[in-house]
Amino acid sequence: QGAIVVCRQLRARLAKDLERFESDDVQAMLSEDVRDIRRLRREFDHLCATFTEAEETLPASSSSGEVSQLEVQPEDSEPVWVRVDLESHGRMIQVFQNCEEGRCLCEEPPVSGRILDILGLRAEIARFSEQIGTIRRQRRQRSRTRSRPTLNDDAMDAQNMDLTFHPRAQSAPQVFDPEEEEEERR
C-alpha cells in the first residue's frame, strides 16, 4: 500500500512539473529539449493509464484511506523553478523560470525553493515507473497465493465435519519400503 501512496503523490507532482516544462515561457527557451519533454509527457501519460488500471482493481477499503493521506499532503509551499541550460555566444548559461510567478532569473534562485531540470524530471518519471512495477509485482504475488489451494479455518473446524467410520473399507497400514519407492521413481 505504501507504493500506491507514493505513486499518487508522484503522479500529482509530475503532472504539475510537466505543466511547468510545457508552459509557453519555458518552451520558448527549450530548443531541442522540446522533443524530450514531449516524449516524457507521452511516457508519463502511459504510466498514468497503467497506474489508473491498477488503482481500479484495488479493494475499496485500501484505496479510500490512502486518498485522504494524499489530500493532507501540502502543495509546493516554496517556489518551484525550472532550470533551462541555454547556449549564448558559445557559452552555456542557466536560466531559472518560475512559472507560477512569471519570473525569470539568470542566476540560481534563493535556497528556499525547488529547482527542476530535465534530468530530474526523467529520474522522477523512472521512479514513478518503478513504483508501478512494485504494485504490479505485489498484485501478481497476491493472485498466485490466492490461487493456491489452502485450508482455511472453516475447513479445519471439526464441528463442521461429518466423519463416518467404515471398518471394512479400511486398508492395511502403509509401511515405508525404500525398494518399492525406488521402483516407483523409475
Side-chain angles (χ1 to χ4, degrees):
Q1 290 182 352
I4 294 166
V5 173
V6 170
C7 276
R8 287 179 176 155
Q9 292 169 348
L10 282 169
R11 177 179 55 190
R13 186 172 63 229
L14 282 167
K16 285 187 167 221
D17 289 350
L18 275 165
E19 286 174 12
R20 290 178 177 110
F21 273 98
E22 293 167 335
S23 72
D24 292 338
D25 292 335
V26 173
Q27 290 281 306
M29 292 186 275
L30 291 173
S31 55
E32 297 169 14
D33 294 330
V34 170
R35 281 178 273 173
D36 284 341
I37 298 300
R38 286 184 189 138
R39 186 185 57 74
L40 290 172
R41 168 55 82 181
R42 283 190 303 273
E43 183 178 346
F44 174 71
D45 290 345
H46 174 73
L47 289 170
C48 284
T50 302
F51 178 58
T52 299
E53 280 179 29
E55 267 186 315
E56 289 170 355
T57 62
L58 292 173
S61 62
S62 69
S63 60
S64 62
E66 291 165 351
V67 172
S68 65
Q69 288 176 10
L70 179 63
E71 291 170 354
V72 172
Q73 182 184 353
E75 293 287 321
D76 289 312
S77 57
E78 299 178 323
V80 178
W81 299 86
V82 176
R83 185 183 79 202
V84 179
D85 296 325
L86 299 175
E87 187 177 336
S88 176
H89 303 291
R91 200 179 108 187
M92 292 300 286
I93 60 168
Q94 293 181 338
V95 177
F96 299 87
Q97 178 71 40
N98 182 316
C99 299
E100 286 77 19
E101 297 174 8
R103 292 180 21 192
C104 186
L105 301 176
C106 291
E107 56 190 44
E108 195 161 323
V111 184
S112 66
R114 188 164 62 100
I115 298 176
L116 304 174
D117 61 11
I118 291 178
L119 291 175
L121 187 62
R122 275 190 198 119
E124 285 296 285
I125 290 174
R127 184 171 165 232
F128 185 41
S129 177
E130 289 169 12
Q131 291 296 317
I132 292 170
T134 298
I135 293 167
R136 294 175 91 183
R137 282 189 299 280
Q138 289 171 348
R139 284 183 37 221
R140 278 194 298 265
Q141 288 173 342
R142 274 191 232 120
S143 68
R144 275 190 229 130
T145 58
R146 282 189 200 127
S147 64
R148 290 184 192 144
T150 59
L151 294 175
N152 59 26
D153 291 336
D154 293 334
M156 296 304 292
D157 188 359
Q159 294 174 353
N160 293 333
M161 287 188 194
D162 290 328
L163 299 176
T164 307
F165 181 67
H166 298 282
R168 283 177 272 161
Q170 185 179 15
S171 61
Q174 295 274 332
V175 178
F176 178 71
D177 184 3
E179 290 176 9
E180 190 176 300
E181 188 173 293
E182 185 65 34
E183 283 181 26
E184 287 179 11
R185 282 191 220 162
R186 291 184 212 158

